[in-house]
Amino acid sequence: MRSRSTTLETAILGLLADSPLHGYELRKRLNLLLGSFRALSYGSLYPCLKSLAARGLIEGQESPDLPPHALTAKRSRIVYHLTADGKEYLQSELSTSGPAAWEDENFDVRFALFGLTDVETRIQILEGRRSRLTERLELARESSRGSSRRLDEYTSELQRHGLEQVEREVRWLDSLITIERDRRRARSTGRDEDRPGTDVKEQG
Amino acid sequence: MRSRSTTLETAILGLLADSPLHGYELRKRLNLLLGSFRALSYGSLYPCLKSLAARGLIEGQESPDLPPHALTAKRSRIVYHLTADGKEYLQSELSTSGPAAWEDENFDVRFALFGLTDVETRIQILEGRRSRLTERLELARESSRGSSRRLDEYTSELQRHGLEQVEREVRWLDSLITIERDRRRARSTGRDEDRPGTDVKEQG
DNA sequence: GCCTACATGTAAATAGTTACATGATTGA
DNA sequence: TCAATCATGTAACTATTTACATGTAGGC
């Protein structure tokens, strides 16, 4: 119970907001969610679930219903669902748009949960992320100019490639920002509801 | 002295192979080397230097020479240089090309030190890295096909973007592999020396 | 006088992974 | 019967950052 990563906690709460799940299944979804590689181990997942349960944000109950074709119950699995406190906490987390939301460690998870986030917050996070990346590009170019000794062939190729990847991500963000701004506009000219998220996810 | 990351150690030894440096300066170079962002803190650097010194791979001495315009010595700085053991160790590290060399944590450092690595090893690392990435692409595509429930709009966009970045890196590796194969060919048809690296870095 | 950069270092906190321990179920 | 997948969990280890502690030197 020593780790208290908001990243992992938010990801778990976000998935549980969709449907109740047990640890094993949760892990698979999490690995799918977070870029499909970057495996998360049980050693971090289960302690985190315990911690969330201890704080009353989720509740677990040993699965009562047997799977369709099973004769006896499998190894008892603990299905977790969000409590009212948990829902409230998740919504308050998802409505923040400070620097924490667009740093490397958190951005992916926050983006993956955009379906539960309102348009205004989505735009703020995307713009924050964008300025974070352009700031990096500035620093990198500045330090490569200011550096007295010029770099080794391979080192400079590594840097060039790194910068290119970041530039590409900035363009990706630009296209996303455009889309979200259009959505905001469409929303304000149409119905003027402002409930978070509910009308954003799934339209096909 | 509790951390023994080969990544950081190799990076330090690689930089010291070029010229002796003190910790403060070493950190700046390290941050330049490793993609120009991803700052490394003193809290990991200094303990690592101590550990390397304790194992006899590097040696530190309080700077004897004053900077040109100084009246008194600045706060004593400790300039580290590679020992004979350190050089040997570094060369043995740089001649390995196993999976460890192409995993995420190590690849960048190994690539940045290609100037001290021989052609054959360079090619093996690049090819290993390439197959590691294509393996990931396979897994990701497979799991997205096999997944029963289709993904949320934002989640699938995140995945699409992630896959695109990896695909791009594969093409980058392809071009590097081509270059290195040409070099190997040029080398074998020309002079047939096989000393590692010395004739690869700096030709302008 | 104060802020920035230089310079070295330690202790505690953070965020995980790996290896271990246990055991049921399913299919070849 | 043997391996793979399902399922939960703990202890030890790895690697790192953050905050602290200390002090010098140069510019405004």
Side-chain angles (χ1 to χ4, degrees):
Chain A
M1 209 175 297
R2 58 182 172 291
S3 111
R4 205 159 295 181
S5 145
T6 47
T7 313
L8 180 53
E9 286 187 356
T10 306
I12 290 173
L13 295 175
L15 279 179
L16 291 184
D18 198 35
S19 67
L21 292 168
H22 59 278
Y24 194 85
E25 180 65 21
L26 200 47
R27 180 184 179 247
K28 285 197 299 186
R29 301 259 179 112
L30 232 35
N31 289 339
L32 200 69
L33 189 79
L34 303 173
S36 53
F37 12 90
R38 174 182 5 181
L40 175 80
S41 67
Y42 300 119
S44 51
L45 176 60
Y46 285 115
C48 189
L49 284 172
K50 290 235 161 154
S51 162
L52 286 169
R55 284 181 287 152
L57 301 176
I58 63 175
E59 241 170 42
Q61 50 193 68
E62 301 233 340
S63 74
D65 50 9
L66 304 177
H69 303 297
L71 298 173
T72 61
K74 294 186 164 199
R75 176 154 176 21
S76 66
R77 48 193 209 179
I78 302 169
V79 177
Y80 289 97
H81 59 91
L82 282 189
T83 63
D85 276 5
K87 279 175 195 168
E88 201 184 316
Y89 177 78
L90 178 61
Q91 270 311 320
S92 76
E93 280 290 301
L94 292 183
S95 67
T96 65
S97 61
W102 56 69
E103 288 302 315
D104 291 335
E105 323 82 69
N106 299 307
F107 176 75
D108 282 10
V109 167
R110 289 304 301 271
F111 184 84
L113 298 178
F114 266 13
L116 302 169
T117 310
D118 67 284
V119 203
E120 214 49 62
T121 310
R122 290 200 294 261
I123 293 175
Q124 277 167 34
I125 293 175
L126 291 171
E127 285 173 345
R129 177 76 183 159
R130 191 193 189 283
S131 68
R132 182 77 187 78
L133 293 184
T134 52
E135 183 193 320
R136 274 189 196 171
L137 289 172
E138 273 310 305
L139 276 171
R141 285 181 183 127
E142 186 185 317
S143 78
S144 77
R145 264 197 302 276
S147 173
S148 49
R149 40 192 300 127
R150 71 185 175 299
L151 294 161
D152 170 76
E153 177 194 0
Y154 293 105
T155 310
S156 63
E157 176 58 23
L158 187 62
Q159 306 233 328
R160 197 200 56 70
H161 177 247
L163 289 182
E164 198 185 291
Q165 293 276 67
V166 178
E167 281 162 5
R168 202 165 295 276
E169 193 162 339
V170 169
R171 288 199 291 278
W172 180 64
L173 290 169
D174 282 338
S175 73
L176 292 169
I177 289 168
T178 303
I179 290 170
E180 295 297 335
R181 283 190 181 143
D182 283 354
R183 270 179 201 172
R184 178 172 57 182
R185 202 145 46 82
R187 166 186 296 257
S188 65
T189 54
R191 298 158 300 130
D192 55 3
E193 299 169 30
D194 206 22
R195 278 176 292 115
T198 45
D199 51 350
V200 176
K201 53 179 203 181
E202 293 286 86
Q203 59 237 35
Chain B
M1 207 176 296
R2 58 180 173 292
S3 108
R4 205 159 296 179
S5 143
T6 45
T7 313
L8 180 53
E9 286 186 356
T10 307
I12 290 174
L13 295 176
L15 279 178
L16 291 184
D18 198 34
S19 67
L21 294 167
H22 60 277
Y24 195 85
E25 179 65 22
L26 199 49
R27 179 184 180 246
K28 286 196 298 187
R29 301 260 178 112
L30 232 34
N31 289 339
L32 200 70
L33 188 80
L34 301 174
S36 52
F37 13 90
R38 174 180 7 181
L40 175 81
S41 68
Y42 299 119
S44 50
L45 176 60
Y46 286 114
C48 189
L49 285 171
K50 291 234 160 158
S51 161
L52 286 168
R55 284 182 286 151
L57 300 176
I58 65 176
E59 240 170 45
Q61 49 193 69
E62 301 232 341
S63 75
D65 50 10
L66 305 177
H69 303 297
L71 298 174
T72 61
K74 294 188 165 196
R75 176 156 177 20
S76 65
R77 49 192 209 178
I78 302 168
V79 177
Y80 290 97
H81 59 90
L82 282 188
T83 62
D85 276 5
K87 278 175 196 167
E88 201 183 317
Y89 176 79
L90 178 61
Q91 270 311 319
S92 75
E93 280 290 302
L94 292 182
S95 66
T96 65
S97 60
W102 56 68
E103 288 303 314
D104 291 335
E105 323 83 68
N106 299 306
F107 176 75
D108 282 9
V109 168
R110 289 302 302 270
F111 184 83
L113 297 178
F114 266 14
L116 301 169
T117 309
D118 67 282
V119 204
E120 213 51 60
T121 310
R122 290 200 294 260
I123 294 175
Q124 278 167 33
I125 293 176
L126 291 172
E127 286 173 344
R129 178 76 183 159
R130 192 194 189 283
S131 68
R132 182 81 187 77
L133 293 184
T134 52
E135 182 193 322
R136 274 190 195 171
L137 289 173
E138 274 308 304
L139 276 170
R141 284 179 185 131
E142 186 185 316
S143 78
S144 77
R145 264 196 303 276
S147 174
S148 49
R149 40 192 299 126
R150 70 184 176 299
L151 293 162
D152 170 76
E153 177 193 359
Y154 293 105
T155 309
S156 63
E157 175 57 23
L158 187 62
Q159 305 233 327
R160 197 200 56 70
H161 178 247
L163 288 183
E164 197 184 293
Q165 292 277 67
V166 177
E167 280 162 4
R168 202 166 296 279
E169 194 163 339
V170 169
R171 288 200 291 277
W172 180 64
L173 290 169
D174 282 338
S175 73
L176 291 169
I177 289 168
T178 304
I179 291 171
E180 295 298 336
R181 283 191 181 142
D182 283 354
R183 270 180 201 170
R184 178 173 56 183
R185 201 146 46 84
R187 168 186 294 259
S188 65
T189 54
R191 299 159 300 133
D192 55 3
E193 299 169 30
D194 206 24
R195 278 176 292 115
T198 44
D199 50 349
V200 176
K201 55 178 202 180
E202 295 285 85
Q203 58 236 33

